[in-house]
């Protein structure tokens, strides 16, 4: 069964702290996507990772991809309240197709 | 500006009734998608379409139907066979395939049972 799993599912952290969200997937893919969803809102694209070893950074967020380990990470540096949201990873399965499988989501709450 | 428009934003369904959710995009994307999101959950794929006049079932297609008569439009009908339709429905589109582009999402339709 094709699976995309994230952990943790819930994360409560203090402002200024660092943390990492993990995304594991169960089949070969060299493309992975990260999205952000604010409560009651739609999803917006954060990062597109296209190859093994890819690293992308935007502000306090940095995403990386290890296709051999079938693992992507989303690292948060010096968290601020505005980063509170739910974060999803997604892969296209089978690779290169039009079908995407989303992870379970990680709900992040940054406390002032 | 290009984007995806979903309507209505809120929809109420009576028992035994079919309802249709609209999704229109002006991004010239080939592929379009419908997802269902339950409270506190991830996204589950209902149907997707790679090109006009063609679509495939996703993981939870039972009780739903779609059509793709135009490239810009991908309406979703929630039929009376879907016994638990209350959810947040998201439409998305992408150039898809090997284009390496992320999906663009509409603002969603929140469906409830009366």
């Amino acid at each position: 069964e094709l699976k995309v799993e994230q952990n943790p599912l819930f994360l409560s952290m203090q402002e200024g702290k660092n943390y990492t969200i993990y995304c594991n997937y169960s089949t070969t893919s060299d493309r992975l996507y990260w999205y952000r969803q604010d409560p009651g809102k739609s999803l917006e694209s954060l990062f597109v990772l296209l190859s093994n070893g890819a690293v992308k950074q935007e502000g306090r967020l940095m995403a990386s991809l290890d296709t051999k380990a079938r693992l992507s990470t989303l690292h948060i540096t010096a968290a601020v309240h505005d980063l509170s949201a739910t974060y999803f990873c997604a892969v296209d399965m089978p690779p290169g197709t039009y079908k995407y499988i989303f992870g379970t989501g990680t709900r992040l709450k940054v406390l002032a | 500006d290009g984007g995806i428009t979903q309507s209505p934003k809120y929809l109420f369904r009576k028992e035994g009734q079919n309802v249709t959710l609209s999704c229109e995009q002006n991004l010239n994307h080939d592929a379009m998608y419908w997802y269902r999101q339950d409270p506190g959950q991830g996204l589950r794929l209902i149907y997707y379409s790679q090109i006009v006049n063609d679509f495939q079932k996703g993981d939870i297609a039972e009780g739903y139907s779609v059509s793709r008569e135009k490239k810009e439009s991908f309406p979703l009908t929630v039929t009376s066979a879907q016994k638990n339709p209350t959810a947040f429905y998201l439409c998305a589109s992408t150039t898809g395939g090997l284009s390496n582009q992320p999906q663009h999402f509409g603002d969603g339709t929140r469906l409830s049972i009366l």
Side-chain angles (χ1 to χ4, degrees):
Chain A
E1 183 186 354
L2 303 176
K3 278 188 177 179
V4 180
E5 296 181 327
Q6 291 179 233
N7 70 82
L9 296 181
F10 300 97
L11 177 55
S12 180
M13 57 192 297
Q14 296 289 329
E15 276 193 330
K17 299 293 186 183
N18 303 336
Y19 209 84
T20 300
I21 298 170
Y22 298 89
C23 172
N24 290 91
Y25 52 97
S26 62
T27 190
T28 57
S29 179
D30 57 1
R31 299 189 301 184
L32 189 133
Y33 307 83
W34 283 97
Y35 295 87
R36 168 182 171 144
Q37 184 180 36
D38 291 302
K41 303 293 186 182
S42 188
L43 277 73
E44 63 173 305
S45 175
L46 292 175
F47 299 110
V48 179
L49 302 169
L50 299 176
S51 61
N52 186 42
V55 177
K56 294 277 185 76
Q57 183 163 3
E58 179 75 32
R60 300 175 187 274
L61 300 178
M62 183 174 70
S64 65
L65 179 61
D66 181 345
T67 59
K68 293 179 182 177
R70 301 180 185 176
L71 171 69
S72 180
T73 61
L74 181 65
H75 186 73
I76 303 156
T77 302
V80 293
H81 180 71
D82 285 352
L83 290 179
S84 298
T86 299
Y87 294 86
F88 291 96
C89 61
V91 297
D92 52 339
M93 291 187 178
T97 69
Y98 287 82
K99 186 175 179 180
Y100 299 83
I101 305 296
F102 280 77
T104 46
T106 295
R107 190 179 301 175
L108 171 66
K109 186 171 184 179
V110 181
L111 305 172
Chain B
D1 284 341
I4 299 179
T5 301
Q6 288 187 243
S7 63
K9 190 170 183 177
Y10 299 95
L11 186 58
F12 298 91
R13 194 193 87 168
K14 296 179 182 178
E15 195 167 334
Q17 185 183 40
N18 294 350
V19 293
T20 297
L21 284 60
S22 170
C23 178
E24 303 277 333
Q25 55 99 358
N26 61 4
L27 299 166
N28 199 34
H29 286 168
D30 290 315
M32 296 187 74
Y33 305 78
W34 275 106
Y35 294 94
R36 169 178 172 146
Q37 186 177 33
D38 291 283
Q41 304 296 313
L43 277 67
R44 292 186 290 168
L45 182 63
I46 305 173
Y47 270 97
Y48 65 108
S49 167
Q50 299 177 21
I51 55 172
V52 175
N53 294 322
D54 187 46
F55 48 82
Q56 286 78 39
K57 292 182 179 180
D59 301 316
I60 56 166
E62 186 174 349
Y64 301 96
S65 66
V66 293
S67 63
R68 185 85 187 277
E69 297 177 1
K70 298 186 300 181
K71 188 175 184 178
E72 303 78 22
S73 179
F74 192 40
L76 173 74
T77 297
V78 183
T79 74
S80 57
Q82 173 50 249
K83 297 305 180 187
N84 182 23
T86 298
F88 188 45
Y89 290 86
L90 286 162
C91 179
S93 71
T94 183
T95 46
L98 298 175
S99 70
N100 303 327
Q101 295 301 307
Q103 293 180 300
H104 294 253
F105 285 83
D107 288 337
T109 293
R110 204 166 294 276
L111 176 62
S112 302
I113 297 179
L114 279 178

